[in-house]
Amino acid sequence: MSAPSGGIDLNPTLADLLTLHVQPALLIPTLLVGAWYGWRFVQARRTPQGRARWPLWRAALFALGWVLLLLTTQSRAATLTQSSMALYMTRLMILAEVVPPLLVLGIPRGVALDPRRGMGRVLNVLLDPWLALAVWTAVIVYWNVPAGFNASVVANTAAALLPGLYLLSSLLVWLVILRPLPAVQPATIGSRGWFGLLAALPMMAVASVWLYTPRVLYQPFVNALCLWNLTPLQNQQISGWIMMLAGLPALALAFIQLFQWLVSLTEQQDLPPA
């Protein structure tokens, strides 16, 4: 039986955590993006060419990512930032390492973009690997050093602003790694592999600090009443494991891309001269 303390249920069930809690700042853009995607998908499926470019499995992956985005931003779990660092980090890692690749894989093939004008030019700038890496690293480092994280929790921006920043910066990273828009992304698989490897390092570094530091780093959690009878230090260490495990798939993909790049280099060297 759950034991409420100070108006907070310290032993919530999964059903309790997924109880609807509307946050309009994230709900409205999410609904608009979902509606726009669904409309374009239905339009494309009217022709054989559109069905070939936009198969059902892509729409299914996008829908899964969209539903997970709603669950992590519009549920009661989003209101328990100061009661469980581990729960909070689970939400952030879903937004950073699960939702973005699903949304990116939902993009249809052959999107016509001109890198010299309009949206193509904007994406050509935003999807520059160095820019994406800089934005992602800034979000990870600033919001996880004690000064930045403490300020965000005290000012209550951690619950609203930080999930959005994690999502948007991670979308840039996954767009570079998976390269769904080749017209504005001329990067080779080798450069994408190196990029993925570099992008994984900030998160792995933060996770290692949380795992091996013998004290609680963040002031708002020092004397906090934590969910499920965990101590603040246990919450911090579990958060480190969550962040590290969440980053492993992207790290593995980076190594696969690098391996494919090395294989292609070897094959090119073995070719006879023209």
Side-chain angles (χ1 to χ4, degrees), residues 37-263:
Y37 184 93
W39 175 70
R40 292 301 302 267
F41 175 73
V42 171
Q43 294 290 321
R45 297 288 295 179
R46 292 178 177 177
T47 64
Q49 296 83 359
R51 288 192 291 272
R53 289 179 52 246
W54 214 329
L56 289 174
W57 66 265
R58 288 188 178 272
L61 290 178
F62 185 92
L64 178 59
W66 186 79
V67 169
L68 288 175
L69 177 57
L70 284 177
L71 290 176
T72 51
T73 59
Q74 306 300 318
S75 62
R76 182 170 173 261
T79 67
L80 300 173
T81 300
Q82 294 186 346
S83 299
S84 177
M85 184 178 175
L87 175 62
Y88 180 52
M89 192 50 53
T90 299
R91 290 181 56 243
L92 290 182
M93 288 300 99
I94 291 174
L95 290 174
E97 299 297 330
V98 180
V99 171
L102 291 174
L103 298 181
V104 171
L105 289 171
I107 298 175
R109 293 190 298 268
V111 177
L113 291 170
D114 186 343
R116 295 169 295 180
R117 64 177 66 181
M119 182 56 68
R121 186 172 184 178
V122 173
L123 290 174
N124 185 255
V125 174
L126 290 178
L127 299 182
D128 179 89
W130 291 111
L131 177 62
L133 181 62
V135 172
W136 170 246
T137 303
V139 170
I140 291 292
V141 173
Y142 174 77
W143 290 94
N144 288 292
V145 297
F149 192 89
N150 291 345
S152 69
V153 173
V154 172
N156 202 30
T157 57
L161 178 61
L162 189 52
L165 289 176
Y166 261 78
L167 176 65
L168 294 177
S169 60
S170 184
L171 267 175
L172 293 179
V173 170
W174 280 101
L175 282 165
V176 173
I177 293 174
L178 297 177
R179 193 172 173 258
L181 305 171
V184 295
Q185 295 178 273
T188 64
I189 194 169
S191 62
R192 286 153 54 203
W194 285 113
F195 170 83
L197 188 62
L198 291 174
L201 295 180
M203 205 164 70
M204 291 299 177
V206 171
S208 298
V209 171
W210 288 351
L211 278 172
Y212 298 111
T213 301
R215 62 184 179 85
V216 179
L217 296 174
Y218 305 109
Q219 187 62 36
F221 293 107
V222 170
N223 296 313
L225 289 174
C226 301
L227 301 183
W228 305 297
N229 298 318
L230 295 174
T231 66
L233 184 58
Q234 287 174 329
N235 257 292
Q236 182 172 282
Q237 292 170 340
I238 293 173
S239 297
W241 281 113
I242 291 170
M243 180 176 276
M244 186 167 289
L245 292 174
L248 288 180
L251 191 60
L253 178 58
F255 280 115
I256 292 172
Q257 290 177 329
L258 286 173
F259 179 76
Q260 290 178 330
W261 172 62
L262 291 174
V263 170

Side-chain angles (χ1 to χ4, degrees), residues 262-274:
L262 291 174
V263 170
S264 66
L265 286 181
T266 303
E267 292 175 347
Q268 289 175 7
Q269 292 175 353
D270 291 339
L271 290 176

